[in-house]
Amino acid sequence: MSHEELSNASAPTNHPETAAGEDHTSAGQAPLLVPKEIPSEEDRQRCADMYWALDDPEVQVRYAGKYVAVHQKQILAAGEDLLAVYAEAQEKSGLPRSRIAIAAIDDDQTFLEN
Amino acid sequence: MLPDIPIVEVRRDYTTDHGRLARACYLRVTAVFATRSGGDVERGMRIDTGAPFSIVPYSLWHDVDLSWQPLGTEFYTPAGVRDPDALAWLGVPCLFGLLQVRLQDEFDQRSKPLRLVAKLPLRAARSHLERAALIGCSFLADNSLTMTVAPHRRTNAGALRNIVGHLTVP
């Protein structure tokens, strides 16, 4: 593994929910966090939206091969670049990431390529 | 704590030029990860017991900013020889890390925390698998999980449809 690749992995992120200046060098040294045992209402809504997107026949056809961002069974954004999908969804809805569900929609490649 | 995590079969039916059914399917569970900002994020994970390690794609661990801890950046063989190509996935060099996940059912019940030792690719792969986190064989062993799959008993009722088995958490 080259130094350049490790350096890229440590590049600062611009996520709205991450403190400015944080990088993945410190991420590797930070405490290992555990998901909550009991989901919040926000978590439940987000999960329900993800399940809806994974199951809805129209979503399967229209957004095959893409990430979709969902809130309350409404598609906020879709595309192949997850960060761009998040950004568009947040811009359109004004919602924080924590309230936006993401589902990866299968396409034929998913089933036909081993 | 939820002891049995439902395994969902995702299938798509193709047909051959001979008019025969070609049914493609994979197994999926829902995993919940912790982000570094303290939130949770859930993803469907594909169960691949033929894969020795789990894979958390770049667009998940990096772009979603998951909480993880490093376990290494290189592999050495059992004979102690450095293997520069061993820690890679689809040709992409990887980090090797530890995450904590909970598995979840469709009623939002969650398992106890489970150890997910995984390859973390250093960039996005040019493959549909970039969208699919993989649960490898080591996840079952590391957490003493029992996997039971019976596709002929596939359910077909409401939120429980398409369940073909369970991961039993001790």
Side-chain angles (χ1 to χ4, degrees), chain A:
Chain A
M1 183 180 312
S2 70
H3 289 295
E4 183 183 358
E5 285 164 333
L6 279 172
S7 172
N8 288 340
S10 302
T13 58
N14 295 316
H15 300 164
E17 293 177 3
T18 1
E22 279 189 319
D23 61 46
H24 282 292
T25 305
S26 59
Q29 298 159 350
L32 185 58
L33 302 181
V34 181
K36 294 186 287 289
E37 178 182 353
I38 307 295
S40 65
E41 197 50 47
E42 190 175 77
D43 294 330
R44 291 175 189 274
Q45 178 63 53
R46 205 180 52 243
C47 288
D49 284 332
M50 183 190 74
Y51 289 132
W52 170 79
L54 290 174
D55 283 346
D56 186 82
E58 188 179 329
V59 172
Q60 302 305 305
V61 172
R62 188 166 179 185
Y63 300 104
K66 296 182 177 174
Y67 295 105
V68 293
V70 189
H71 180 66
Q72 295 185 337
K73 297 185 179 180
Q74 300 292 318
I75 303 291
L76 301 174
E80 296 181 7
D81 181 334
L82 181 58
L83 287 180
V85 170
Y86 262 130
E88 184 182 343
Q90 288 183 275
E91 186 179 333
K92 277 184 180 174
S93 67
L95 294 168
R97 273 194 186 193
S98 60
R99 298 187 63 189
I100 298 172
I102 294 289
I105 307 302
D106 290 333
D107 58 7
D108 284 330
Q109 273 190 313
T110 309
F111 292 93
L112 298 177
E113 286 184 6
N114 288 325

Side-chain angles (χ1 to χ4, degrees), chain B residues 44 48 52 67 75 88 94 143 149:
Chain B
D48 183 356
S67 174
F75 276 179
C94 299
N143 296 287
V149 179

